[in-house]
Amino acid sequence: MTNQYGYIRVSTREQNEDRQLLAMRELSILEKNIYMDKQSGKDFDRPQYKKLVRRLKKDDLLYIKSIDRLGRNYKEILEQWRVLTKDKGVDIVVLDMPLLDTRRGKDLMGTFLSDIVLQVLSFVAENERTNIRQRQAEGIAAAKAKGIRFGRPPKPLPENFHSVYQRWKMGEITGTAAAKECGMPLATFRYRAEIYEKAKLL
């Protein structure tokens, strides 16, 4: 008897898996046969996926919503597809891509078409991931160029900073003494003093 399984993946704990879960339930897959990971698809070192693969037997049927839910690493997607379909003898259905249904076209042409579609889609999935990373990097660089700061805002300067800074600048006290009076490490004092100096020059 063929057992049906579903695999769901969301990249972070904040992302919503409802769309994928609903698709699996509409196929009447038993809850115990639905496996879900909440982590990145950069590799296949995922606890629920590993548990699923151990459980899969020959002629079982595995559903995934889209190819990027299986993973995002082009080479590893192809390798896992080979392990599941060739080594374990499992059928896979990608719901968002009807051409990727290994139950159809078991002949040479069907297998050939399926392999081509898989390779193209896997490449597109990884390429999109690379493009997202590039867009993020470009966005951050553009924001920094506009003076937008990232990370936590700096703590407000202590009330005595101005007077301590002036005494330090005049050489009346050492940097170590100035930092101590301001209640901050020496490196922090020097960093804040540099910003303070630039702000005064603007």
Side-chain angles (χ1 to χ4, degrees), residues 44 67 71-81 122:
F44 283 85
I67 196 67
R72 287 192 175 273
N73 182 305
Y74 170 56
K75 287 180 182 173
E76 289 199 8
I77 291 172
L78 295 176
E79 173 60 18
Q80 286 300 310
W81 189 276
S122 301

Side-chain angles (χ1 to χ4, degrees), residues 107-137:
D107 60 359
L108 190 61
M109 182 55 77
T111 303
F112 176 68
L113 285 173
S114 182
D115 283 352
I116 287 177
V117 172
L118 175 64
Q119 292 207 33
V120 170
L121 285 177
S122 301
F123 174 77
V124 168
E126 183 169 354
N127 204 44
E128 179 58 18
R129 186 166 65 105
T130 304
N131 289 340
I132 287 169
R133 278 205 306 264
Q134 188 176 336
R135 285 196 295 270
Q136 285 173 337

Side-chain angles (χ1 to χ4, degrees), residues 15-95:
Q15 283 189 335
N16 197 315
E17 68 276 7
D18 288 354
R19 193 174 65 92
Q20 295 177 71
L21 204 50
L22 185 63
M24 300 302 166
R25 285 175 177 157
E26 283 177 353
L27 293 164
S28 302
I29 298 172
L30 299 173
E31 291 287 331
K32 67 174 185 176
N33 287 354
I34 298 174
Y35 290 76
M36 178 169 62
D37 282 306
K38 291 195 174 187
Q39 67 183 86
S40 164
K42 64 183 174 63
D43 57 42
F44 283 85
D45 188 18
R46 305 175 221 140
Q48 291 302 308
Y49 180 78
K50 285 179 171 179
K51 199 180 284 187
L52 167 66
V53 172
R54 283 196 300 269
R55 196 170 165 195
L56 287 168
K57 301 277 190 302
K58 184 174 168 53
D59 295 329
D60 282 346
L61 180 57
L62 173 63
Y63 288 97
I64 52 173
K65 186 80 173 76
S66 56
I67 196 67
D68 64 348
R69 295 306 87 202
L70 185 61
R72 287 192 175 273
N73 182 305
Y74 170 56
K75 287 180 182 173
E76 289 199 8
I77 291 172
L78 295 176
E79 173 60 18
Q80 286 300 310
W81 189 276
R82 188 193 64 75
V83 167
L84 294 171
T85 59
K86 306 288 194 298
D87 297 355
K88 297 199 72 106
V90 173
D91 275 315
I92 306 176
V93 175
V94 180
L95 297 172

